[in-house]
Amino acid sequence: MTIMPIIEAPDPSLRRISATVAAVDDGLRRLMDDMLATMYAAPGIGLAAIQVDVPKRVLVIDLQRRAEPVEEGAEPIEVREPRYFVDPEIVWASDEVGAYNEGCLSVPELFGDVIRPLRIRARWLDYDGAAREEEMDGLLATCLQHEMDHLDGILFYDHLSKLKRDMIVKKLTKRQKLAA
Ligand SMILES: [Zn+2]
């Protein structure tokens, strides 16, 4: 598996609209494997293909929750539960919304409270190309909506006030100048 370089905002290539995939083949599965490895290495809980310069409607998520160890005093066990979403669609969203302090692998070390529906019902193709539909809430619902935004060229800070957005873009631009 290959760790791929992650594009950082405000790189305009993150604004591209990703294309529908329609069929899951071995090439796409290889991409999803590489994306997952890249996400774990970062580390992060979600990654869209556009963030590794592939404009396809594909994303991976693993909330990597920690389970309590069996033995007292031992380190918590990291539970890996990778999820793969191809051509995801939101078919229903709750009227009830909530704020979550979001971050993004393409927006390093910066965070902002984004308001989104608390529950959604989504439809997608999985790793094997099978059609799936599920209702979700909590961090998974937030994360999926965040990653799906990437497929339409939207970044989490687009949801913030102009003041906060400008502040983040300024910090990102400064960071890139320093890195260059
Ligand atoms: Zn993101």
Side-chain angles (χ1 to χ4, degrees):
M1 272 181 276
T2 314
I3 311 282
M4 305 165 92
I6 296 173
I7 301 174
E8 291 184 6
D11 191 318
S13 56
L14 286 169
R15 296 302 187 177
R16 285 175 293 172
I17 309 291
S18 296
T20 301
V21 173
V24 179
D25 58 16
D26 286 344
L28 196 81
R29 274 187 279 272
R30 255 195 312 275
L31 169 68
M32 291 193 280
D33 292 342
D34 289 344
M35 283 170 60
L36 198 72
T38 302
M39 187 193 81
Y40 285 143
I45 60 168
L47 186 73
I50 190 72
Q51 293 177 275
V52 289
D53 207 20
V54 180
K56 289 182 181 169
R57 302 189 86 79
V58 178
L59 56 96
V60 294
I61 291 176
D62 189 336
L63 303 178
Q64 293 160 75
R65 64 190 174 83
R66 284 171 178 269
E68 283 306 310
V70 185
E71 252 178 275
E72 214 180 309
E75 287 286 308
I77 305 150
E78 202 169 280
V79 184
R80 285 202 168 169
E81 245 177 336
R83 295 166 191 264
Y84 309 86
F85 298 83
V86 178
D87 293 344
E89 275 176 82
I90 290 173
V91 293
W92 172 83
S94 65
D95 293 331
E96 206 186 340
V97 294
Y100 187 83
N101 195 243
E102 295 186 18
C104 178
L105 292 178
S106 294
V107 187
E109 291 153 37
L110 300 170
F111 301 87
D113 284 332
V114 179
I115 295 165
R116 302 184 189 272
L118 285 172
R119 276 182 302 133
I120 55 168
R121 171 166 281 275
R123 192 183 285 159
W124 69 95
L125 300 178
D126 67 14
Y127 192 80
D128 300 309
R132 300 277 298 271
E133 192 174 315
E134 204 182 297
E135 195 171 310
M136 49 191 88
D137 58 12
L139 185 54
L140 181 57
T142 299
C143 191
L144 183 61
Q145 291 175 82
H146 171 117
E147 299 309 329
M148 283 183 67
D149 270 355
H150 278 299
L151 308 181
D152 293 318
I154 298 165
L155 295 163
F156 80 81
Y157 58 74
D158 297 339
H159 295 284
L160 306 177
S161 68
K162 188 179 180 317
L163 186 75
K164 283 184 190 157
R165 197 165 61 230
D166 289 350
M167 211 160 69
I168 287 181
V169 174
K170 207 169 138 184
K171 282 183 183 162
L172 288 167
T173 310
K174 193 173 163 190
R175 183 191 161 96
Q176 284 191 344
K177 273 194 193 132
L178 286 173

